[in-house]
Amino acid sequence: MREIEERKSVRRYSAEAIEKTKLDAILGSARLAPSGHNKQPWHFIVVADAGKREEIAMASNQQRWMASAPVHIVCVADIRARTQNAEPMYVDEESPSFELKRVIRDTAIAMSHILLEARHQGLDTCWVSWYDQKEFRPLLGIPEDKFVVGVITLGYADEAPAPKPRKRMEEILHYERW
Amino acid sequence: MREIEERKSVRRYSAEAIEKTKLDAILGSARLAPSGHNKQPWHFIVVADAGKREEIAMASNQQRWMASAPVHIVCVADIRARTQNAEPMYVDEESPSFELKRVIRDTAIAMSHILLEARHQGLDTCWVSWYDQKEFRPLLGIPEDKFVVGVITLGYADEAPAPKPRKRMEEILHYERW
Protein backbone atom coordinates (compact mmCIF):
# COMPACT_ATOMS: atom_id res chain seq x y z
CA MET A 1 0.00 0.00 0.00
CA ARG A 2 1.46 3.29 -1.14
CA GLU A 3 0.95 5.16 2.14
CA ILE A 4 2.73 2.49 4.21
CA GLU A 5 5.65 2.38 1.78
CA GLU A 6 5.99 6.15 1.57
CA ARG A 7 5.57 7.08 5.25
CA LYS A 8 8.74 8.44 6.85
CA SER A 9 9.45 10.46 9.97
CA VAL A 10 9.90 14.06 8.84
CA ARG A 11 11.68 16.50 11.16
CA ARG A 12 11.70 19.66 9.02
CA TYR A 13 8.55 21.31 7.74
CA SER A 14 7.74 24.21 5.42
CA ALA A 15 5.66 27.10 6.77
CA GLU A 16 2.81 26.17 4.40
CA ALA A 17 -0.53 26.03 6.20
CA ILE A 18 -2.56 22.80 6.32
CA GLU A 19 -5.88 22.93 4.46
CA LYS A 20 -8.84 22.49 6.81
CA THR A 21 -10.39 19.72 4.70
CA LYS A 22 -7.14 17.76 4.91
CA LEU A 23 -6.82 18.25 8.66
CA ASP A 24 -10.43 17.12 9.11
CA ALA A 25 -9.83 13.98 7.05
CA ILE A 26 -6.72 13.20 9.10
CA LEU A 27 -8.51 13.62 12.44
CA GLY A 28 -11.51 11.69 11.13
CA SER A 29 -9.30 8.71 10.29
CA ALA A 30 -8.37 8.39 13.97
CA ARG A 31 -12.02 8.21 14.92
CA LEU A 32 -12.45 5.10 12.73
CA ALA A 33 -9.71 3.10 14.42
CA PRO A 34 -10.65 -0.21 16.04
CA SER A 35 -10.39 -0.48 19.83
CA GLY A 36 -10.97 -3.09 22.53
CA HIS A 37 -14.72 -3.44 23.15
CA ASN A 38 -15.09 -0.40 20.86
CA LYS A 39 -14.35 1.84 23.85
CA GLN A 40 -12.49 4.42 21.71
CA PRO A 41 -10.34 5.49 24.68
CA TRP A 42 -8.61 8.40 22.95
CA HIS A 43 -8.52 12.17 22.85
CA PHE A 44 -6.73 14.44 20.41
CA ILE A 45 -5.60 17.98 21.10
CA VAL A 46 -4.88 20.03 17.99
CA VAL A 47 -2.24 22.64 18.80
CA ALA A 48 -1.63 25.36 16.22
CA ASP A 49 -0.52 28.17 18.55
CA ALA A 50 3.16 28.93 17.90
CA GLY A 51 4.03 29.57 21.54
CA LYS A 52 2.45 26.30 22.63
CA ARG A 53 4.25 24.35 19.90
CA GLU A 54 7.49 25.85 21.13
CA GLU A 55 6.67 24.73 24.69
CA ILE A 56 5.83 21.22 23.49
CA ALA A 57 9.15 21.07 21.63
CA MET A 58 11.04 22.20 24.74
CA ALA A 59 9.22 19.66 26.92
CA SER A 60 10.18 16.99 24.37
CA ASN A 61 13.85 17.09 25.26
CA GLN A 62 14.43 20.37 23.44
CA GLN A 63 13.60 18.99 20.02
CA ARG A 64 13.37 22.46 18.48
CA TRP A 65 12.63 21.10 15.01
CA MET A 66 9.14 20.15 16.26
CA ALA A 67 8.04 23.79 16.31
CA SER A 68 8.55 24.00 12.53
CA ALA A 69 5.43 21.85 12.05
CA PRO A 70 2.37 24.12 11.78
CA VAL A 71 0.24 21.67 13.77
CA HIS A 72 0.91 19.28 16.66
CA ILE A 73 -1.66 16.59 17.41
CA VAL A 74 -1.28 15.56 21.05
CA CYS A 75 -2.69 12.04 21.43
CA VAL A 76 -4.00 11.03 24.82
CA ALA A 77 -5.14 7.64 26.14
CA ASP A 78 -7.98 7.66 28.67
CA ILE A 79 -8.45 4.74 31.09
CA ARG A 80 -11.79 6.27 32.17
CA ALA A 81 -13.25 5.12 28.86
CA ARG A 82 -12.87 1.52 30.08
CA THR A 83 -14.02 1.78 33.67
CA GLN A 84 -17.02 2.84 35.75
CA ASN A 85 -14.66 3.63 38.60
CA ALA A 86 -15.11 7.27 39.62
CA GLU A 87 -12.31 7.25 42.24
CA PRO A 88 -9.34 9.54 41.65
CA MET A 89 -6.71 7.83 39.51
CA TYR A 90 -3.17 8.63 38.54
CA VAL A 91 -1.12 7.10 35.73
CA ASP A 92 2.43 7.49 34.55
CA GLU A 93 5.25 5.61 32.82
CA GLU A 94 5.55 3.03 35.63
CA SER A 95 1.85 2.27 36.29
CA PRO A 96 1.21 -1.49 36.43
CA SER A 97 -2.41 -1.13 35.22
CA PHE A 98 -3.52 -3.57 32.51
CA GLU A 99 -6.20 -1.06 31.51
CA LEU A 100 -3.47 1.49 30.84
CA LYS A 101 -1.68 -0.95 28.52
CA ARG A 102 -4.94 -1.49 26.66
CA VAL A 103 -5.70 2.19 26.14
CA ILE A 104 -2.11 2.88 25.05
CA ARG A 105 -2.52 0.06 22.51
CA ASP A 106 -5.81 1.47 21.21
CA THR A 107 -4.53 5.03 21.01
CA ALA A 108 -1.48 3.79 19.10
CA ILE A 109 -3.80 2.27 16.48
CA ALA A 110 -5.64 5.58 16.08
CA MET A 111 -2.30 7.40 15.82
CA SER A 112 -1.18 5.01 13.12
CA HIS A 113 -4.29 5.97 11.15
CA ILE A 114 -3.28 9.63 11.48
CA LEU A 115 0.21 8.94 10.12
CA LEU A 116 -1.13 7.06 7.10
CA GLU A 117 -4.05 9.36 6.32
CA ALA A 118 -1.64 12.32 6.51
CA ARG A 119 0.58 10.65 3.89
CA HIS A 120 -2.54 9.94 1.82
CA GLN A 121 -3.27 13.66 1.91
CA GLY A 122 0.28 14.56 0.83
CA LEU A 123 1.35 15.62 4.31
CA ASP A 124 4.09 14.29 6.56
CA THR A 125 4.43 13.50 10.23
CA CYS A 126 6.73 12.46 13.03
CA TRP A 127 5.63 10.58 16.15
CA VAL A 128 7.41 11.94 19.22
CA SER A 129 7.16 10.36 22.70
CA TRP A 130 10.24 11.78 24.43
CA TYR A 131 8.91 13.65 27.45
CA ASP A 132 7.83 13.03 30.98
CA GLN A 133 4.10 12.58 31.68
CA LYS A 134 4.28 14.66 34.87
CA GLU A 135 5.99 17.56 33.12
CA PHE A 136 4.09 17.42 29.88
CA ARG A 137 0.47 17.22 31.05
CA PRO A 138 0.31 20.62 32.80
CA LEU A 139 1.36 22.39 29.57
CA LEU A 140 -2.05 21.64 28.08
CA GLY A 141 -4.12 21.11 31.21
CA ILE A 142 -4.28 17.33 30.71
CA PRO A 143 -5.59 15.53 33.84
CA GLU A 144 -3.39 13.12 35.82
CA ASP A 145 -5.49 10.09 34.91
CA LYS A 146 -4.62 10.49 31.20
CA PHE A 147 -1.50 9.17 29.45
CA VAL A 148 0.05 11.15 26.59
CA VAL A 149 0.91 8.41 24.10
CA GLY A 150 2.60 10.76 21.65
CA VAL A 151 2.73 14.06 19.86
CA ILE A 152 2.35 13.90 16.09
CA THR A 153 3.96 16.77 14.21
CA LEU A 154 2.06 17.49 11.00
CA GLY A 155 2.86 19.59 7.98
CA TYR A 156 4.37 19.74 4.52
CA ALA A 157 7.86 18.27 4.47
CA ASP A 158 10.88 20.47 3.89
CA GLU A 159 13.28 17.54 3.75
CA ALA A 160 13.36 14.10 2.14
CA PRO A 161 14.89 11.76 4.71
CA ALA A 162 16.28 8.41 3.60
CA PRO A 163 14.24 5.37 4.64
CA LYS A 164 15.31 3.88 7.98
CA PRO A 165 16.91 0.44 7.84
CA ARG A 166 14.63 -2.45 8.73
CA LYS A 167 15.19 -5.90 10.15
CA ARG A 168 15.02 -8.74 7.65
CA MET A 169 11.72 -10.66 7.58
CA GLU A 170 13.54 -13.76 8.87
CA GLU A 171 14.42 -11.87 12.04
CA ILE A 172 10.81 -11.11 12.94
CA LEU A 173 8.79 -13.89 11.32
CA HIS A 174 8.01 -17.35 12.69
CA TYR A 175 5.89 -20.13 11.24
CA GLU A 176 3.46 -22.15 13.35
CA ARG A 177 5.36 -21.53 16.62
CA TRP A 178 8.03 -19.33 18.24
CA MET B 1 -8.45 6.72 2.72
CA ARG B 2 -10.43 3.78 1.42
CA GLU B 3 -8.79 1.13 3.60
CA ILE B 4 -9.46 3.02 6.83
CA GLU B 5 -13.08 3.62 5.88
CA GLU B 6 -13.68 0.02 4.80
CA ARG B 7 -11.92 -1.84 7.62
CA LYS B 8 -14.27 -3.74 9.91
CA SER B 9 -13.81 -6.57 12.38
CA VAL B 10 -14.87 -9.76 10.59
CA ARG B 11 -15.73 -12.84 12.66
CA ARG B 12 -16.76 -15.29 9.94
CA TYR B 13 -14.47 -16.35 7.14
CA SER B 14 -14.79 -18.46 4.00
CA ALA B 15 -12.52 -21.49 3.57
CA GLU B 16 -10.80 -19.79 0.62
CA ALA B 17 -7.01 -19.95 0.95
CA ILE B 18 -4.92 -16.78 1.11
CA GLU B 19 -2.61 -16.21 -1.85
CA LYS B 20 1.05 -16.26 -0.83
CA THR B 21 1.80 -12.94 -2.54
CA LYS B 22 -0.98 -11.28 -0.56
CA LEU B 23 0.18 -12.78 2.72
CA ASP B 24 3.72 -11.62 1.99
CA ALA B 25 2.53 -8.08 1.27
CA ILE B 26 0.55 -8.05 4.53
CA LEU B 27 3.47 -9.26 6.64
CA GLY B 28 5.81 -6.90 4.81
CA SER B 29 3.63 -3.92 5.77
CA ALA B 30 4.23 -4.66 9.46
CA ARG B 31 7.98 -4.55 8.91
CA LEU B 32 7.70 -0.94 7.66
CA ALA B 33 5.95 0.38 10.77
CA PRO B 34 7.65 3.17 12.71
CA SER B 35 8.90 2.39 16.23
CA GLY B 36 10.64 4.21 19.07
CA HIS B 37 14.35 4.59 18.23
CA ASN B 38 13.62 2.31 15.25
CA LYS B 39 13.99 -0.70 17.56
CA GLN B 40 11.30 -2.71 15.72
CA PRO B 41 10.42 -4.65 18.89
CA TRP B 42 7.99 -7.10 17.26
CA HIS B 43 7.65 -10.69 16.18
CA PHE B 44 4.92 -12.30 14.12
CA ILE B 45 3.94 -15.97 14.22
CA VAL B 46 1.95 -17.14 11.21
CA VAL B 47 -0.30 -20.01 12.26
CA ALA B 48 -2.03 -21.96 9.49
CA ASP B 49 -2.29 -25.34 11.22
CA ALA B 50 -5.97 -26.12 11.88
CA GLY B 51 -5.37 -27.76 15.25
CA LYS B 52 -3.30 -24.83 16.48
CA ARG B 53 -5.92 -22.32 15.30
CA GLU B 54 -8.48 -24.28 17.26
CA GLU B 55 -6.26 -24.12 20.37
CA ILE B 56 -5.77 -20.37 19.92
CA ALA B 57 -9.54 -19.91 19.64
CA MET B 58 -10.11 -21.95 22.80
CA ALA B 59 -7.44 -19.99 24.70
CA SER B 60 -9.17 -16.78 23.55
CA ASN B 61 -12.22 -17.33 25.75
CA GLN B 62 -13.64 -20.04 23.49
CA GLN B 63 -14.15 -17.73 20.53
CA ARG B 64 -14.73 -20.64 18.14
CA TRP B 65 -15.33 -18.35 15.17
CA MET B 66 -11.59 -17.58 15.17
CA ALA B 67 -10.77 -21.02 13.78
CA SER B 68 -12.74 -20.24 10.61
CA ALA B 69 -9.96 -17.86 9.54
CA PRO B 70 -7.36 -19.79 7.49
CA VAL B 71 -4.50 -17.85 9.08
CA HIS B 72 -3.83 -16.38 12.51
CA ILE B 73 -1.03 -13.85 12.90
CA VAL B 74 0.12 -13.86 16.52
CA CYS B 75 1.75 -10.50 17.25
CA VAL B 76 4.36 -10.40 20.00
CA ALA B 77 6.10 -7.43 21.63
CA ASP B 78 9.70 -7.96 22.72
CA ILE B 79 11.25 -5.79 25.47
CA ARG B 80 14.65 -7.37 24.67
CA ALA B 81 14.76 -5.28 21.51
CA ARG B 82 15.10 -2.16 23.71
CA THR B 83 17.55 -3.32 26.33
CA GLN B 84 21.03 -4.73 26.70
CA ASN B 85 19.97 -6.40 29.93
CA ALA B 86 20.57 -10.15 29.67
CA GLU B 87 19.02 -11.00 33.06
CA PRO B 88 15.93 -13.22 33.09
CA MET B 89 12.78 -11.14 32.72
CA TYR B 90 9.11 -11.84 33.04
CA VAL B 91 6.22 -9.73 31.77
CA ASP B 92 2.47 -9.98 32.03
CA GLU B 93 -0.69 -7.86 32.13
CA GLU B 94 0.30 -6.16 35.41
CA SER B 95 3.97 -5.40 34.75
CA PRO B 96 4.84 -1.79 35.62
CA SER B 97 7.66 -1.60 33.05
CA PHE B 98 7.74 1.54 30.89
CA GLU B 99 9.68 -0.43 28.29
CA LEU B 100 6.77 -2.87 28.06
CA LYS B 101 4.34 0.00 27.38
CA ARG B 102 6.64 1.21 24.63
CA VAL B 103 6.93 -2.14 22.87
CA ILE B 104 3.17 -2.72 23.14
CA ARG B 105 2.70 0.70 21.51
CA ASP B 106 5.14 -0.10 18.70
CA THR B 107 3.68 -3.54 18.06
CA ALA B 108 0.19 -2.01 17.91
CA ILE B 109 1.39 0.30 15.11
CA ALA B 110 2.72 -2.67 13.14
CA MET B 111 -0.55 -4.54 13.73
CA SER B 112 -2.50 -1.59 12.45
CA HIS B 113 -0.47 -1.80 9.23
CA ILE B 114 -1.47 -5.46 8.93
CA LEU B 115 -5.19 -4.63 9.29
CA LEU B 116 -5.04 -1.92 6.63
CA GLU B 117 -2.79 -3.77 4.17
CA ALA B 118 -5.10 -6.80 4.47
CA ARG B 119 -8.06 -4.61 3.51
CA HIS B 120 -5.98 -3.19 0.65
CA GLN B 121 -5.48 -6.76 -0.58
CA GLY B 122 -9.22 -7.52 -0.36
CA LEU B 123 -8.90 -9.54 2.84
CA ASP B 124 -10.44 -9.02 6.23
CA THR B 125 -9.28 -9.28 9.81
CA CYS B 126 -10.22 -9.18 13.45
CA TRP B 127 -7.87 -8.15 16.27
CA VAL B 128 -8.37 -10.39 19.32
CA SER B 129 -6.69 -9.79 22.69
CA TRP B 130 -8.91 -11.80 25.03
CA TYR B 131 -6.62 -14.36 26.66
CA ASP B 132 -4.20 -14.67 29.52
CA GLN B 133 -0.47 -14.20 28.77
CA LYS B 134 0.50 -17.06 31.08
CA GLU B 135 -1.92 -19.48 29.44
CA PHE B 136 -1.43 -18.36 25.88
CA ARG B 137 2.34 -18.27 25.55
CA PRO B 138 3.00 -22.00 26.09
CA LEU B 139 0.67 -22.90 23.19
CA LEU B 140 3.24 -21.57 20.73
CA GLY B 141 6.40 -21.78 22.83
CA ILE B 142 6.57 -18.02 23.35
CA PRO B 143 9.10 -17.06 26.08
CA GLU B 144 7.98 -15.41 29.34
CA ASP B 145 9.73 -12.13 28.54
CA LYS B 146 7.45 -11.55 25.51
CA PHE B 147 3.98 -10.00 25.54
CA VAL B 148 1.33 -11.21 23.10
CA VAL B 149 -0.30 -7.95 22.00
CA GLY B 150 -2.93 -9.63 19.87
CA VAL B 151 -3.96 -12.34 17.45
CA ILE B 152 -5.09 -11.13 14.04
CA THR B 153 -7.46 -13.48 12.23
CA LEU B 154 -7.02 -13.20 8.47
CA GLY B 155 -9.06 -14.45 5.56
CA TYR B 156 -11.82 -13.74 3.08
CA ALA B 157 -14.95 -12.50 4.81
CA ASP B 158 -18.07 -14.63 4.88
CA GLU B 159 -20.18 -11.92 6.51
CA ALA B 160 -20.69 -8.18 6.04
CA PRO B 161 -20.95 -6.71 9.55
CA ALA B 162 -22.48 -3.27 10.01
CA PRO B 163 -20.02 -0.52 10.96
CA LYS B 164 -19.60 -0.06 14.71
CA PRO B 165 -20.93 3.20 16.15
CA ARG B 166 -18.32 5.86 16.81
CA LYS B 167 -18.08 8.76 19.22
CA ARG B 168 -18.74 12.17 17.70
CA MET B 169 -15.65 14.24 16.88
CA GLU B 170 -16.63 16.76 19.58
CA GLU B 171 -16.28 14.04 22.20
CA ILE B 172 -12.66 13.27 21.36
CA LEU B 173 -11.29 16.49 19.89
CA HIS B 174 -9.85 19.49 21.72
CA TYR B 175 -8.30 22.68 20.37
CA GLU B 176 -5.12 24.20 21.80
CA ARG B 177 -5.62 22.60 25.27
CA TRP B 178 -7.57 19.92 27.16
Side-chain angles (χ1 to χ4, degrees):
Chain A
M1 193 169 126
R2 182 178 63 80
E3 293 83 356
I4 287 175
E5 284 159 20
E6 289 180 3
R7 188 212 54 78
K8 284 183 287 190
S9 296
V10 162
R11 293 185 173 82
R12 212 169 88 178
Y13 297 88
S14 82
E16 194 177 343
I18 299 168
E19 297 85 343
K20 189 178 181 316
T21 52
K22 292 190 177 187
L23 182 59
D24 287 349
I26 291 164
L27 296 166
S29 75
R31 178 175 168 267
L32 296 179
S35 58
H37 299 286
N38 196 31
K39 292 294 188 187
Q40 308 164 62
W42 44 56
H43 287 260
F44 305 95
I45 310 172
V46 177
V47 179
D49 180 79
K52 273 292 171 206
R53 285 185 282 118
E54 193 68 48
E55 284 179 50
I56 289 172
M58 294 314 286
S60 301
N61 271 270
Q62 290 83 46
Q63 295 185 78
R64 293 188 171 277
W65 63 266
M66 290 178 72
S68 75
V71 164
H72 291 177
I73 305 175
V74 179
C75 304
V76 180
D78 184 9
I79 48 171
R80 298 283 181 184
R82 287 188 63 103
T83 176
Q84 302 302 319
N85 185 346
E87 301 283 299
M89 291 186 204
Y90 173 84
V91 299
D92 67 14
E93 286 82 353
E94 309 295 338
S95 302
S97 157
F98 185 26
E99 291 304 289
L100 180 59
K101 294 178 185 68
R102 285 166 152 162
V103 298
I104 289 173
R105 170 198 71 195
D106 292 341
T107 304
I109 306 172
M111 291 176 69
S112 165
H113 281 205
I114 290 176
L115 302 188
L116 296 174
E117 183 68 36
R119 187 81 287 282
H120 185 70
Q121 300 288 341
L123 287 149
D124 283 290
T125 54
C126 189
W127 177 323
V128 177
S129 309
W130 197 15
Y131 46 74
D132 193 82
Q133 297 291 324
K134 259 195 305 292
E135 279 174 36
F136 191 96
R137 285 184 295 220
L139 285 185
L140 301 175
I142 300 168
E144 290 192 331
D145 58 355
K146 317 299 178 207
F147 191 93
V148 183
V149 182
V151 177
I152 296 175
T153 54
L154 178 68
Y156 286 98
D158 191 33
E159 63 165 1
K164 292 268 183 63
R166 287 291 192 269
K167 292 180 180 174
R168 287 170 292 112
M169 283 309 291
E170 310 88 83
E171 295 177 78
I172 58 174
L173 197 58
H174 309 250
Y175 285 97
E176 303 300 344
R177 60 177 288 115
W178 183 269
Chain B
M1 193 168 124
R2 183 178 64 78
E3 293 82 355
I4 287 175
E5 284 159 19
E6 288 181 2
R7 188 212 53 77
K8 285 184 286 189
S9 296
V10 162
R11 293 185 173 81
R12 210 168 89 179
Y13 297 88
S14 82
E16 194 177 345
I18 300 167
E19 297 85 343
K20 187 177 183 314
T21 51
K22 293 190 176 186
L23 182 59
D24 287 348
I26 291 163
L27 296 166
S29 76
R31 178 175 167 267
L32 295 180
S35 58
H37 299 284
N38 195 32
K39 292 293 188 188
Q40 309 164 62
W42 43 56
H43 286 261
F44 305 95
I45 310 173
V46 177
V47 179
D49 180 78
K52 273 292 169 203
R53 284 184 284 117
E54 194 68 49
E55 285 180 51
I56 290 172
M58 295 313 286
S60 300
N61 271 270
Q62 289 83 46
Q63 294 185 79
R64 292 190 171 275
W65 63 265
M66 290 178 73
S68 74
V71 164
H72 291 177
I73 304 175
V74 179
C75 304
V76 179
D78 184 9
I79 47 170
R80 298 285 182 183
R82 288 186 63 101
T83 175
Q84 301 302 319
N85 185 346
E87 301 284 298
M89 291 187 203
Y90 173 86
V91 299
D92 67 14
E93 286 82 353
E94 310 295 337
S95 301
S97 157
F98 184 28
E99 291 303 288
L100 180 60
K101 294 178 184 69
R102 287 166 152 161
V103 298
I104 289 172
R105 171 198 70 194
D106 291 341
T107 304
I109 307 172
M111 292 176 69
S112 166
H113 280 204
I114 290 176
L115 302 186
L116 296 175
E117 183 67 37
R119 187 82 286 282
H120 185 71
Q121 301 287 341
L123 286 150
D124 283 291
T125 53
C126 189
W127 177 323
V128 177
S129 308
W130 196 13
Y131 46 74
D132 193 81
Q133 298 291 325
K134 258 195 305 291
E135 279 175 35
F136 191 97
R137 285 183 295 220
L139 285 184
L140 302 175
I142 300 168
E144 290 192 331
D145 58 355
K146 317 299 179 206
F147 191 94
V148 183
V149 182
V151 178
I152 296 175
T153 56
L154 177 69
Y156 286 98
D158 192 32
E159 63 165 2
K164 292 268 183 62
R166 288 290 192 269
K167 293 180 180 173
R168 286 170 293 113
M169 283 310 291
E170 310 88 83
E171 295 178 77
I172 58 174
L173 198 58
H174 309 248
Y175 285 97
E176 301 301 344
R177 59 177 288 115
W178 184 268

